[in-house]
Amino acid sequence: MLERNLHMLGGTGESSYAANSTLQKRYAAGAMFLVKEAMESLVHVMIPTSETLLVFADLGCSTGANAFVTHSSIMGTISKTCKKLDRPMPEIQLLLNDLPGNDFNTLLGPALSSYKERISEAMREIGVSFYTAAVSGSFYTKLFPKRSVHFIYSCASLHWLSQVPFGLSNATDGTVINRRSLWISNKSPPIVSRLYLEQFQRDFSLFLKHRCEELHSEGRMTLIIPGRVGANALTEESAPWISWYEDGLQDLVSVGIVKAADVNSFNVPFYYPSMAEVKSIIHTEGSFEIINDHAYEILYTNCLDVIPADTDKIWEKIINISRAVLEPLLVSHFGDSIIQPLFFSTLPKMYAKESFKEKYKLASQANLAISLKKK
């Protein structure tokens, strides 16, 4: 059920992910130097003096232009490195992966054709064949044949879990553990953060195991994961936008639009890890060597391509960024009728308050970027 409902908001409309993925674009830009380092290393060891094929996969690609902007940068690095080493450009195979509910029609359709054509034209100018294919499926399962991929990239996807931690939604005594919280907060009992961490450990370990099998012996992987700076997930507000939805849903409960029991049973299936937790899982799983890592933060108010003069419009845009991520899960749990009152009444009243703007004007998102080599 979660695998079917977990996807970004499709299409190209005002609230779609394609129109509201500038924050994720900033995530990628902040760690692009790690991606380029990995590609330069691959060209050194993978590209011989005769033509060959280089396969790379983008896991959790979603929809929108971000994927193609990143891939264009990657292929530019390959071209420059090949020229520097006087080696032929390889043929390029790009594998775009996401869950079955992802809007692959928008990703590969005419709305984004200009980005794909730009890459294809650049490849044609240097005489290189470039192929694109969509791969539907969870990256917590096997996706590709053994030793078939040379480079794996994932940005703003690995914080999503394969499921809501079992103890939250299926308590054996019928009680709700995480009442009035949609995730991990200072209102949550300590067991909540432990259950989320344990689920992340299981999922990320599976991810590493499968990717090790699929990567070439010299394969590289660069991962960008929304995370947190501090050690304690209960005390650090690493995803402040979640509290906006907690307050908004409670407001809808107070006016009888949604039931308190439905809010209490709704938990968001992602986990923002610390760098120490990520590294610990990598060392324990044992398939990869850590080559480099980088932690950085991005202010929410700096994530827009165009900054409106009206501060209310700034927050409307930032809410739309979170809406593009969360709306499919909200609809699957509460139904379509929640969209109008939540996004056009309750949340606008919230971000119109000066106290809201003052509290969140310096709100930021930490990101963990890590470059790995298969052992």
Side-chain angles (χ1 to χ4, degrees), residues 47 70 273:
I47 310 300
T70 299

Side-chain angles (χ1 to χ4, degrees), residues 180-208:
R180 299 178 67 84
S181 292
L182 308 184
W183 189 52
I184 305 167
S185 74
N186 54 17
K187 302 188 294 287
S188 304
I191 191 176
V192 170
S193 62
R194 179 173 63 79
L195 290 172
Y196 268 98
L197 172 58
E198 289 173 354
Q199 186 65 49
F200 178 75
Q201 289 170 329
R202 287 190 294 269
D203 285 342
F204 191 42
S205 295
L206 268 178
F207 175 89
L208 295 170

Side-chain angles (χ1 to χ4, degrees), residues 158-364:
L158 275 164
H159 60 302
W160 288 104
L161 303 172
S162 64
Q163 64 176 59
V164 172
F166 178 79
L168 297 178
S169 57
N170 296 283
T172 55
D173 61 0
T175 61
V176 176
I177 292 176
N178 203 25
R179 291 177 61 85
R180 299 178 67 84
S181 292
L182 308 184
W183 189 52
I184 305 167
S185 74
N186 54 17
K187 302 188 294 287
S188 304
I191 191 176
V192 170
S193 62
R194 179 173 63 79
L195 290 172
Y196 268 98
L197 172 58
E198 289 173 354
Q199 186 65 49
F200 178 75
Q201 289 170 329
R202 287 190 294 269
D203 285 342
F204 191 42
S205 295
L206 268 178
F207 175 89
L208 295 170
K209 175 180 178 293
H210 293 314
R211 301 299 81 79
C212 179
E213 294 173 353
E214 295 162 353
L215 274 171
H216 186 275
S217 58
E218 296 289 343
R220 297 287 294 269
M221 185 159 65
T222 301
L223 309 175
I224 304 169
I225 309 173
R228 67 179 196 275
V229 176
N232 191 338
L234 280 173
T235 59
E236 182 180 351
E237 195 173 24
S238 51
W241 58 276
I242 288 291
S243 65
W244 309 342
Y245 287 88
E246 289 177 344
D247 293 344
L249 289 172
Q250 289 301 327
D251 186 67
L252 296 183
V253 169
S254 69
V255 295
I257 293 177
V258 299
K259 296 178 182 178
D262 289 340
V263 175
N264 289 336
S265 63
F266 180 64
N267 289 280
V268 182
F270 63 56
Y271 181 72
Y272 282 7
S274 67
M275 184 67 84
E277 289 168 348
V278 170
K279 288 184 175 181
S280 175
I281 297 168
I282 292 168
H283 288 307
T284 300
E285 196 278 331
S287 298
F288 290 89
E289 173 189 356
I290 297 174
I291 302 301
N292 202 352
D293 64 82
H294 174 55
Y296 54 104
E297 292 188 70
I298 296 174
L299 286 173
Y300 286 114
T301 51
N302 286 347
C303 70
L304 308 182
D305 285 334
V306 178
I307 306 298
D310 183 348
T311 57
D312 283 357
K313 291 294 183 181
I314 294 174
W315 288 106
E316 179 181 342
K317 182 66 175 176
I318 292 171
I319 292 291
N320 266 344
I321 290 173
S322 64
R323 176 183 177 180
V325 171
L326 205 55
E327 180 173 322
L329 287 176
L330 289 166
V331 169
S332 70
H333 189 83
F334 298 100
D336 290 328
S337 60
I338 194 176
I339 299 305
Q340 183 69 29
L342 181 62
F343 290 106
F344 295 95
S345 178
T346 297
L347 291 179
K349 284 189 296 185
M350 186 187 306
Y351 61 68
K353 296 177 181 177
E354 289 302 319
S355 58
F356 177 93
K357 298 169 189 173
E358 186 64 27
K359 180 178 180 181
Y360 291 111
K361 67 180 180 181
L362 297 179
S364 64

